[in-house]
Amino acid sequence: MDYKATLNLPKTDFPMKANLVQREPELLKFWEEKKIYHEIRKKFAGKPKYILHDGPPYANGHIHLGTALNKILKDFVVKVHSMGGFDAVYVPGWDCHGLPIEHQVGLELGPQKLLMKKSEIRKLCRDFATKYVDIQREEFKRLGVFGDWENPYLTMSYDYEAVIIRELGKFMANGGLYKGLKPVYWCFSCQTALAEAEVEYHDRSSPSI
């Protein structure tokens, strides 16, 4: 019995068998050429929206197991809602600011960083983030994640930054912003403030108590 005919499944040129090393690039090329994600969007246009607000990864290196698991699980959620009849749009994005990128650029520069202007270092950080946005995009595609990869949101894009400034201006106009004193974590080697999540604690035995 032909189980595909029984289930009324579409025929495919990519049967599930070995030779995955050859099959994977063929399948990825097929999705790309046929614009499968955009065809899905057309099919569900006008349906109730389901939008997953994705906390973006840092553009500071190749993806790792944690990054992959995070993105794959979110892809499951989006695809399940799409199969459920929703217009499940997925716009990927990247966090292009912050210590992880500064740190990697600092490692590459070494002592030279101390002789450079801050504007020069920021330019290198932008170039570094741009490089890894492109690298990670291709790596996520290799995982089979569907999304609007041609139009991601980047926290370093000038229009994105303009929106942040505009919203900050609204806070100021409404009196919701004030200047005060607050202790912050400071990294002496990186010469920058640290978020609480970036501080790691280790157990230590000490005779001081």
Side-chain angles (χ1 to χ4, degrees), residues 56-127:
Y58 275 116
N60 69 320
H62 290 275
I63 65 172
H64 50 73
L65 283 177
T67 324
L69 177 63
N70 180 288
K71 192 66 71 176
I72 289 170
L73 290 177
K74 290 172 179 176
D75 187 53
F76 285 170
V77 172
V78 174
K79 284 176 177 170
V80 165
H81 280 82
S82 184
M83 293 166 67
F86 287 87
D87 184 9
V89 176
Y90 176 62
V91 179
W94 279 271
D95 189 344
C96 307
H97 293 138
L99 185 58
I101 292 169
E102 285 182 41
H103 181 64
Q104 291 298 327
V105 171
L107 290 177
E108 290 184 0
L109 291 173
Q112 181 186 353
K113 178 181 177 181
L114 301 175
L115 306 175
M116 297 176 66
K117 297 178 180 178
K118 291 182 179 179
S119 59
E120 295 173 332
I121 297 172
R122 282 196 291 268
K123 173 65 168 58
L124 291 176
C125 287
R126 177 176 285 273
D127 294 341

Side-chain angles (χ1 to χ4, degrees), residues 35 53 57 73 91 93 117 131 137 153 156 183 190 200:
K35 299 187 181 297
H53 292 285
L73 290 177
V91 179
K117 297 178 180 178
K131 170 185 172 182
R137 186 198 333 258
Y153 72 90
M156 68 176 178
C190 298
E200 296 183 4

Side-chain angles (χ1 to χ4, degrees), residues 77-200:
V77 172
V78 174
K79 284 176 177 170
V80 165
H81 280 82
S82 184
M83 293 166 67
F86 287 87
D87 184 9
V89 176
Y90 176 62
V91 179
W94 279 271
D95 189 344
C96 307
H97 293 138
L99 185 58
I101 292 169
E102 285 182 41
H103 181 64
Q104 291 298 327
V105 171
L107 290 177
E108 290 184 0
L109 291 173
Q112 181 186 353
K113 178 181 177 181
L114 301 175
L115 306 175
M116 297 176 66
K117 297 178 180 178
K118 291 182 179 179
S119 59
E120 295 173 332
I121 297 172
R122 282 196 291 268
K123 173 65 168 58
L124 291 176
C125 287
R126 177 176 285 273
D127 294 341
F128 183 91
T130 300
K131 170 185 172 182
Y132 279 102
V133 163
D134 292 336
I135 289 174
Q136 288 189 13
R137 186 198 333 258
E138 296 308 310
E139 291 174 336
F140 287 135
K141 287 181 182 180
R142 287 285 305 275
L143 296 176
V145 178
F146 281 2
D148 190 2
W149 294 110
E150 297 81 15
N151 301 290
Y153 72 90
L154 307 176
T155 59
M156 68 176 178
S157 64
Y158 296 120
D159 55 344
Y160 189 99
E161 292 178 335
V163 170
I164 299 299
I165 295 297
R166 195 174 297 120
E167 294 304 311
L168 180 62
K170 292 179 183 178
F171 275 102
M172 294 181 65
N174 294 332
L177 195 66
Y178 69 93
K179 183 177 181 180
L181 298 176
K182 179 185 177 182
V184 297
Y185 297 101
W186 182 262
C187 177
F188 285 96
S189 60
C190 298
Q191 293 293 300
T192 188
L194 297 174
E196 188 171 352
E198 293 169 331
V199 178
E200 296 183 4

